[in-house]
Amino acid sequence: MSDRERIVQLLDEVPAYKLGYVLAYVQGLTADEDADDAYCEQLYQHYLNDPERGQTYTEDEVCKELGIAL
């Protein structure tokens, strides 16, 4: 029996409520790491080029903007 056949056989024994875990794991194994790295690099570059990066706000400013009264 091949590994693939054994995996399929074992899937029949996995309870339905645990299939989500199996799916997430298998998706992680088959993920395109180059695409993931490119996406992370894009997020990082966006962060570095954000004109508001490093800007701070006081608690009062945030509350005022959100309409929250302390």
Side-chain angles (χ1 to χ4, degrees):
M1 177 181 294
S2 71
D3 288 343
R4 181 178 299 274
E5 291 168 330
R6 180 69 179 132
I7 289 169
V8 171
Q9 182 184 38
L10 286 171
L11 278 176
D12 289 334
E13 298 174 23
V14 175
Y17 72 94
K18 290 186 178 181
L19 286 176
Y21 300 118
V22 175
L23 177 61
Y25 182 75
V26 173
Q27 284 176 328
L29 291 175
T30 61
D32 180 358
E33 290 186 28
D34 291 335
D36 188 46
D37 290 346
Y39 176 72
C40 290
E41 179 65 25
Q42 176 190 0
L43 288 176
Y44 179 62
Q45 291 302 322
H46 178 72
Y47 164 76
L48 290 178
N49 297 318
D50 186 350
E52 294 185 13
R53 183 171 67 107
Q55 186 173 351
T56 60
Y57 299 92
T58 66
E59 184 179 7
D60 290 335
E61 290 172 324
V62 172
C63 289
K64 182 179 179 182
E65 185 172 327
L66 296 175
I68 300 171
L70 292 178

